Amino acid sequence: MSEKSNQSSFGGRLYRGEVSSDFVGRRKQWYLVSLALFIISVGAFFFQGMKLGIEFSGGTVLTVTSGQADASNARETVSQLPFIEGLIVQELGTDKVQIRTDSLEPAELTEIQDLLSSRYAVDVESIDVQSIGPSWGEEITRKGITGLVAFFIIVMIYLAMTFEPKMAIAAFIALFHDVFITVGIYALIGFEVTPATLIGFLTILDYSLYDTVVVFDKVRENTKNITQVARQTYSQAANLAVNQTLIRSINTSIVALLPIASLLFVGAGLLGAGTLKDVALVLFTGMIIGTFSSLFIATPVLAGLKEREPAMIALAKRVNSRGGNEQESASVAQRQQPKRKKKR
C-alpha cells in the first residue's frame, strides 16, 4: 500500500514528468523577482549602509548587568560626557544593557565606568569592557573578504571540472545573487555585521551550492546523449530536472529552517543572545534565497547559456519540427476518420 501511495504521490508524478510546471520557460518572471530584490538590496546597501560591529570598525563596548538596565536611561547617562562619539545603546534580554562608543582613552574609560557604576549601583569590576583597535578590525575585514573570494574561486574550479564551465558560470551567478540580496536585507534590517555574520555567509554559500549541485547533477543526467535521442530540448530536460528535485529541495529547506527559526525568534528574540541573532538572521534569509536561486535562477541561466550552442539550436529545431509533424499527422488522421466511416 505504501509503494502505491508513493507512486501516486505528487512528488512521484513530478519525478516521472506526469505533472510539471514550466519553471525554465518562465525564467523572465523569476528574473523580475530577483531584479526587484536586487534593487531593494542596492538601495539598502548604498543609502542605509552596513552597520559594522566593533570587530570591524573598532571601538569600546561596555555591558552592564542590572535589574534596572534600560537603554534610554543608559543613553541619557552616557551622552552627557563630552568625549562620547558614535554612541549605540541596546538592551540584551531583561537585565543587560550594552553601550558602544568609538575608541576611548584609559582615563575616559575609567570615567564612564564610574558613571555607570553609580547609575546602576553595581561594582566597577562587574562591568564587562571590550576594546578593539581599528587596525585589528581592518585585518578581520581583509581576512573575511579574502575568504569569500577564495571560496568563489574554488567553487568555480570545482564545478568546471566536475560538470562543465557553463554550469560553473550559472552557479557563480546564483551565489553572487544570494550574497548580494542577503547583504541588502541585512543592511535593510540594520543588524550589526560581526565575525559570526561572516560565518553565516559562508554557511549559506555552502548550502546554496549544495542545492545547486543536486539540481545540476539531475540536469546532467537528463541531458546525457540528448542530441542523439532528440526527444527534448535542453530547456525541457533542465525543466524536468527542476521538477524532479523540487519537492526534495523544499523539504530539505523546511527541515533546515525550523531550527534556525528557533535560534532567531527564541534565542535572539526572547533570550536576547546577540551572537545567535547575527548568525540566525543570515542563515534564515540566505537559505530561503539560496533555495530560490538554485531552482529558479541557476538552472534557467544554465539553460539560456546552453541553448545558444549550435548543437542545441539544431536540437531545438529537430524537436520542434518533429512535434509539429506529429501534430499535423494527428490532425490529418482526425480529418480522414469520418471519410473512412462513410466508405464502410
Side-chain angles (χ1 to χ4, degrees), residues 281-314:
L281 178 64
V282 173
L283 293 178
F284 188 81
T285 304
M287 283 190 176
I288 295 175
I289 300 297
T291 301
F292 171 80
S293 68
S294 297
L295 295 170
F296 308 133
I297 300 298
T299 308
V301 168
L302 171 63
L305 293 174
K306 293 292 292 184
E307 290 288 1
R308 297 180 181 179
E309 296 180 358
M312 297 306 162
I313 294 175

Side-chain angles (χ1 to χ4, degrees), residues 46-295:
F46 287 103
F47 292 101
Q48 185 166 331
M50 301 295 292
K51 186 179 178 183
L52 298 178
I54 187 175
E55 296 86 356
F56 297 97
S57 61
T60 302
V61 174
L62 299 96
T63 304
V64 181
T65 303
S66 171
Q68 304 174 2
D70 180 81
S72 59
N73 290 335
R75 184 179 295 103
E76 182 180 355
T77 301
V78 176
S79 60
Q80 62 182 313
L81 298 174
F83 52 82
I84 295 296
E85 295 181 359
L87 178 63
I88 298 175
V89 181
Q90 61 179 346
E91 295 180 9
L92 302 178
T94 57
D95 61 345
K96 288 185 180 182
V97 61
Q98 186 182 81
I99 301 155
R100 174 183 164 184
T101 70
D102 291 347
S103 297
L104 299 173
E105 298 295 332
E108 296 172 342
L109 179 59
T110 300
E111 184 175 351
I112 191 174
Q113 283 181 291
D114 292 339
L115 185 62
L116 291 172
S117 173
S118 174
R119 171 65 182 81
Y120 291 106
V122 296
D123 295 333
V124 174
E125 293 77 12
S126 67
I127 300 176
D128 182 67
V129 179
Q130 183 183 14
S131 297
I132 296 177
S135 60
W136 192 81
E138 292 176 0
E139 182 181 356
I140 290 295
T141 303
R142 185 177 63 255
K143 288 182 177 180
I145 294 174
T146 302
L148 287 175
V149 172
F151 177 86
F152 279 125
I153 293 174
I154 293 172
V155 165
M156 291 287 288
I157 295 174
Y158 168 77
L159 290 177
M161 294 177 61
T162 305
F163 294 100
E164 60 174 288
K166 289 182 179 178
M167 286 188 174
I169 294 172
F172 178 80
I173 292 173
L175 287 175
F176 179 79
H177 166 277
D178 298 343
V179 170
F180 199 88
I181 292 180
T182 304
V183 167
I185 293 175
Y186 209 86
L188 186 65
I189 295 176
F191 279 14
E192 283 191 353
V193 178
T194 65
T197 308
L198 280 181
I199 295 172
F201 274 119
L202 292 173
T203 303
I204 65 168
L205 291 178
D206 289 337
Y207 182 88
S208 176
L209 178 63
Y210 168 76
D211 216 13
T212 301
V213 167
V214 170
V215 179
F216 279 3
D217 186 65
K218 197 63 185 175
V219 172
R220 181 175 61 176
E221 179 182 335
N222 291 352
T223 57
K224 186 178 181 180
N225 300 325
I226 189 172
T227 56
Q228 300 175 12
V229 178
R231 293 179 180 175
Q232 293 177 310
T233 64
Y234 193 94
S235 292
Q236 291 171 345
N239 186 72
L240 177 60
V242 173
N243 281 273
Q244 289 174 325
T245 56
L246 179 65
I247 299 299
R248 176 201 168 282
S249 296
I250 293 175
N251 289 339
T252 304
S253 299
I254 292 174
V255 171
L257 286 171
L258 287 176
I260 295 172
S262 66
L263 285 177
L264 181 60
F265 299 110
V266 178
L270 299 180
L271 302 180
T275 303
L276 292 179
K277 176 183 68 176
D278 298 337
V279 177
L281 178 64
V282 173
L283 293 178
F284 188 81
T285 304
M287 283 190 176
I288 295 175
I289 300 297
T291 301
F292 171 80
S293 68
S294 297
L295 295 170

